Amino acid sequence: RDKKMDCIKINIDAETNTISIWNNGRGIPVVMHKDEKMYVPTMIFGHLLTSSNYNDEEKKVTGGRNGYGAKLCNIFSTKFVIETGSKEYKKHFKQTWTNNMQNASEPKIKDFSSDDFTKVTFCPDLTKFKMTKLEDDIVALMSRRAYDIAASTRGVKVFFNGEKLDIKSFKDYIDLYIKNKEDDTGNSLKLIYENVNERWEVAVCLSVSQEFQQVSFVNSIATTKGGRHVDHVSDMIVKQLLEVIKKKNKGGTNVGPPKVKSHMWVFVNCLIVNPTFDSQTKENMTLQSKNFGSKCTLSEKFVQGVLKSGIVESVLTWAKFKADNALVKTSGKKKLTLKGIPKLEDANEAGSRNSSKCTLILTEGDSAKALVVSGFTIIGRDHYGVFPLRGKLLNVREATHKQILDNAEINNLIQILGLKYKKKYETEDDMKTLRYGKVMIMT
């Protein structure tokens, strides 16, 4: 890109099926190409397999590399016009192609002394796309691209159909996405933005959908499926978040990098040297990070901002919710017969309509249990059961969800008593939902 270029004008006239793009960057050289024996603009826009970007050894931060884009536009148009003015060569050039690039007019060249510019005007061949007119959704898609250019091309004013777009920066563009969006508590999303260097802009906020979202550009190309540039930034952020989450996640389900990432909405605008993509649509950037040609080093201020953006709290809430659900699945219920609990001597009426009259006796070990069982000959087994405990019982008040889930004795007691997780037993009716009405600790 010519650093002096600071204006792009895009016009779409659906009624006349005409689209034009103009910029005030350095004009195309209006000279005969020494090898191809034709004018350079003619070669660039009207002949296949000709491009200035073939040399992969040369480091470029442009989008195209093989020269297909403009030529394919010409091929799929009923009319295609290129105009350029070059102050360096003091010439103005204009040439027109029709009938899908099959017919070319003679170039019109005249003296030129104004400011450099280049303009492309074309009429899409709608029949090739099984269309009869430029439909509203196609125009909307093209207008979206105008906003993309305004966001990703620093220092450039973009006009769309004569009106200047109110997008002065990448951050302005991001605001269009997150404006009026709120988190689960009703607060506006908190965006953390950083202009890392002249080649990297990064921002992140909470993804309220709890699915990873990304908006990214590589050399002003919208990478709608992301790629390694997005992974590079996301992985750095996830690493920082995970360190804090692991310290704060007391009692919650274990959280890994993919789950942290699912709570993030990442925005990246970058310039990559000779980027590669997985298809001609260039939706997914595949170049390895070691070949980016620049570094994206996030500042401590940015990292601290991300830690306070609500992502940590969102992940912790999810972890606790998952852990609570896991505990709910282990809840007991009122039933007459229990199976699979070794050494339990169940009361005959446990789990019945008379369960509230039953008492569960907890003993320290098998010898104490034997003493209780011998006493059943006197008090009977209808309203009394016994269960021996092994060693020191887990203090669930301070235990994590995982410790509770993994503790066999606690889970056995939950099943024996018929306890339900998070239920409070405060009334007589509450107590009637249990398998036992009382617990006696015999120590």
Side-chain angles (χ1 to χ4, degrees):
R1 170 193 156 188
D2 177 11
K3 291 185 178 181
K4 293 182 180 179
M5 189 264 286
D6 64 358
C7 186
I8 296 174
K9 297 178 181 179
I10 301 167
N11 286 281
I12 300 175
D13 189 334
E15 291 187 5
T16 62
N17 186 37
T18 303
I19 300 169
S20 68
I21 303 97
W22 175 98
N23 73 59
N24 65 345
R26 187 172 59 198
I28 300 169
V30 185
V31 292
M32 293 291 289
H33 193 279
K34 62 180 180 179
D35 296 324
E36 301 293 338
K37 308 303 180 186
M38 65 182 73
Y39 281 100
V40 171
T42 302
M43 180 189 75
I44 293 174
F45 293 95
H47 284 260
L48 293 174
L49 300 177
T50 54
S51 171
S52 61
N53 289 341
Y54 285 142
N55 183 6
D56 285 342
E57 298 300 319
E58 186 178 352
K59 296 181 178 180
K60 297 185 178 72
V61 287
T62 54
R65 301 177 71 181
N66 300 317
Y68 285 129
K71 299 175 183 66
L72 288 171
C73 183
N74 194 345
I75 290 170
F76 283 92
S77 297
T78 57
K79 183 179 180 181
F80 185 95
V81 182
I82 174 64
E83 292 180 74
T84 189
S86 173
K87 184 180 290 187
E88 179 183 354
Y89 294 91
K90 299 179 181 179
K91 296 293 182 182
H92 176 280
F93 177 98
K94 182 176 182 180
Q95 189 171 15
T96 302
W97 287 265
T98 56
N99 194 23
N100 308 108
M101 206 172 82
Q102 293 187 61
N103 304 322
S105 70
E106 288 297 319
K108 295 180 180 179
I109 300 170
K110 60 184 180 181
D111 293 337
F112 181 78
S113 59
S114 299
D115 294 331
D116 285 34
F117 80 97
T118 299
K119 181 180 181 181
V120 171
T121 305
F122 62 99
C123 302
D125 187 349
L126 299 177
T127 61
K128 301 290 186 187
F129 304 98
K130 298 181 181 180
M131 296 166 58
T132 57
K133 65 175 184 176
L134 281 177
E135 297 168 353
D136 291 344
D137 56 346
I138 296 298
V139 174
L141 185 63
M142 292 178 176
S143 65
R144 153 73 184 271
R145 182 60 185 144
Y147 280 86
D148 289 350
I149 293 170
S152 60
T153 313
R154 300 192 191 194
V156 175
K157 302 182 293 290
V158 177
F159 291 80
F160 182 73
N161 285 347
E163 293 188 12
K164 182 182 176 183
L165 299 183
D166 191 24
I167 303 292
K168 298 177 183 178
S169 65
F170 185 50
K171 191 172 184 298
D172 287 344
Y173 179 80
I174 297 171
D175 288 339
L176 295 178
Y177 278 91
I178 68 171
K179 185 170 61 176
N180 300 326
K181 285 198 167 49
E182 299 177 341
D183 60 21
D184 292 339
T185 61
N187 295 319
S188 298
L189 295 183
K190 186 176 181 180
L191 181 74
I192 311 301
Y193 165 85
E194 180 164 50
N195 183 357
V196 180
N197 53 47
E198 63 179 7
R199 292 195 176 186
W200 289 88
E201 289 180 273
V202 174
V204 67
C205 67
L206 173 68
S207 173
V208 292
S209 66
Q210 292 191 12
E211 292 183 358
F212 178 70
Q213 299 181 79
Q214 66 87 29
V215 177
S216 60
F217 298 93
V218 172
N219 303 354
S220 293
I221 298 169
T223 43
T224 54
K225 294 181 180 178
R228 288 182 172 169
H229 57 310
V230 177
D231 293 341
H232 180 61
V233 171
S234 300
D235 290 348
M236 286 191 289
I237 297 172
V238 167
K239 182 180 179 181
Q240 298 289 338
L241 288 168
L242 201 54
E243 290 179 5
V244 175
I245 289 169
K246 284 183 176 179
K247 292 178 182 177
K248 292 186 175 183
N249 186 24
K250 296 179 179 179
T253 297
N254 286 338
V255 177
K259 179 49 63 177
V260 176
K261 189 174 181 180
S262 70
H263 289 256
M264 290 166 41
W265 194 352
V266 174
F267 302 83
V268 179
N269 181 30
C270 61
L271 295 176
I272 300 292
V273 172
N274 298 343
T276 55
F277 303 88
D278 64 357
S279 69
Q280 182 63 26
T281 56
K282 300 178 181 178
E283 297 169 308
N284 180 43
M285 204 279 291
T286 58
L287 189 71
Q288 293 185 2
S289 58
K290 65 181 181 180
N291 299 319
F292 284 175
S294 61
K295 291 186 178 181
C296 179
T297 304
L298 303 176
S299 69
E300 183 62 24
K301 181 180 178 181
F302 177 84
V303 171
Q304 290 302 315
V306 173
L307 295 178
K308 298 175 183 177
S309 65
I311 297 174
V312 170
E313 290 75 15
S314 180
V315 175
L316 291 174
T317 298
W318 172 88
K320 188 175 187 307
F321 172 77
K322 292 292 288 184
D324 287 349
N325 277 352
L327 285 178
V328 167
K329 292 178 181 178
T330 66
S331 292
K333 59 182 179 180
K334 187 175 181 179
K335 56 184 179 180
L336 285 171
T337 304
L338 282 182
K339 295 180 180 180
I341 301 180
K343 301 184 179 181
L344 168 66
E345 297 284 347
D346 216 5
N348 293 333
E349 296 280 1
S352 71
R353 71 172 84 181
N354 297 318
S355 61
S356 59
K357 298 178 182 179
C358 296
T359 299
L360 177 67
I361 303 172
L362 300 178
T363 67
E364 287 187 293
D366 293 341
S367 58
K369 173 193 170 184
L371 178 64
V372 173
V373 171
S374 65
F376 285 170
T377 57
I378 299 173
I379 62 175
R381 289 177 174 265
D382 286 346
H383 298 133
Y384 291 93
V386 61
F387 181 65
L389 301 176
R390 296 176 298 173
K392 186 178 180 181
L393 192 64
L394 176 70
N395 182 352
V396 295
R397 184 184 294 274
E398 302 296 330
T400 66
H401 287 67
K402 187 176 187 306
Q403 286 174 318
I404 295 172
L405 286 170
D406 292 345
N407 190 280
E409 294 236 295
I410 293 297
N411 283 290
N412 283 337
L413 286 174
I414 290 172
Q415 298 300 319
I416 295 168
L417 294 170
L419 293 167
K420 291 190 179 297
Y421 184 67
K422 281 199 168 182
K423 180 177 176 63
K424 293 184 177 181
Y425 297 92
E426 298 175 332
T427 66
E428 187 174 339
D429 287 338
D430 292 334
M431 299 301 292
K432 287 180 179 179
T433 65
L434 296 171
R435 296 188 73 250
Y436 283 86
K438 303 179 185 65
V439 174
M440 177 191 299
I441 301 174
M442 182 174 168
T443 60

